[in-house]
Amino acid sequence: GAAKTLLLTDTGGDTGFVTAANRAGLFVHAWTFRDDAVTGRFTSAEAELERYLATGIDGFFTDFPETGVRARDRFVARKKTLD
């Protein structure tokens, strides 16, 4: 598991952590996503999770599974329309 602070820059850009870990044969599960602790640059917990999913994480830890499922499903549906 990787702290989510390692995955995005302060401005929301991708740090390359996930790509580097995947190249080394590692999976990345980010932690911990919480509805009541959304960082300032995101408008919602779902928006935050979707941004991290876009980095290519393999999974995530959350204390709010309903939010995690909604964010994952919305991310997957949006990705399918782009493919």
Side-chain angles (χ1 to χ4, degrees), residues 9-80:
T9 66
D10 290 340
T11 58
D14 190 331
T15 64
F17 184 97
V18 175
T19 300
N22 290 164
R23 282 188 189 137
L26 301 171
F27 294 104
V28 177
H29 291 81
W31 54 272
T32 296
F33 294 91
R34 298 185 51 84
D35 289 4
D36 56 358
V38 177
T39 57
R41 70 179 158 268
F42 297 104
T43 57
S44 69
E46 288 181 31
E48 181 183 26
L49 260 167
E50 287 183 57
R51 175 62 187 103
Y52 281 90
L53 286 165
T55 67
I57 59 174
D58 300 289
F60 56 87
F61 295 93
T62 180
D63 294 327
F64 298 86
E66 299 86 5
T67 301
V69 169
R70 277 193 310 270
R72 181 208 58 204
D73 290 350
R74 193 165 67 187
F75 176 79
V76 168
R78 189 172 298 146
K79 190 173 178 189
K80 283 182 183 177

